Amino acid sequence: MKKYINCIVFLIVITACKAQTPVYNITEPKEGPQGAYYKDIYGVLDGYDGTYLYTNGNTSLKFILKKKVKSFRYYYEDLVVGEFQYIKNGVERGNTLANMAINYTDERPNHRIKGCRIITGTELGCPDCSPTEKRLRLSFVDNKSPNIAGIDIRKTTVNGMAAIKVKIWWDGFITRKEGDPAPPPASISTGEYLMIKQ
């Protein structure tokens, strides 16, 4: 009898080992099975965490960025999420910084800034990048209008301080029904921002 129990336990252990979640690098296309894990195996999402600030007179843009590990959607993924505060000519046009204090199980749809796309070298508009330099491409969904923006982030230093170069462009609109009122203007102005880590 003891042999049969040992055999059954052995078969259960073998079966459980084969049923593990597959792990892929985040740079691979998200074509794996439901529950797969797209992991930041090489740490390319590291070093973006923190608060970054751009100022120009009475205009400022603040980002808070954080790496989230194993966030769940249809699959698990490591990604960078963030929130923002934008003040233009002394008037606050958007502020979602308080959302960073909330722990969501599904990070991607609940943060204004999110993503994990890695861009290498001069790919997609960085002629002065080195061939092996890694950049981050995130998306931004405006909290006041149906605008969707792309955000490219490049690590740099300014006077020995960590910083990021941020390029923001409007990428499209969330679908709205015919007859809906015109959307309000976007919170953040497009352009390039040099943001110093605080």
Side-chain angles (χ1 to χ4, degrees), residues 16-38:
C17 289
K18 288 183 179 180
Q20 290 182 355
T21 302
V23 176
Y24 303 99
N25 190 3
I26 59 167
T27 58
E28 294 182 35
K30 307 269 190 315
E31 298 170 351
Q34 181 175 359
Y37 178 21
Y38 293 89

Side-chain angles (χ1 to χ4, degrees), residues 100-147:
M100 288 305 289
I102 302 170
N103 285 319
Y104 300 103
T105 54
D106 187 356
E107 302 286 348
R108 191 176 277 272
N110 291 300
H111 286 288
R112 297 294 164 204
I113 301 168
K114 61 266 191 143
C116 60
R117 182 169 179 195
I118 306 302
I119 308 169
T120 304
T122 59
E123 176 187 10
L124 300 175
C126 188
D128 58 333
C129 287
S130 71
T132 59
E133 183 177 346
K134 306 280 190 233
R135 300 183 330 277
L136 187 58
R137 177 162 283 183
L138 305 177
S139 64
F140 169 77
V141 178
D142 199 327
N143 67 321
K144 292 187 176 179
S145 74
N147 296 297

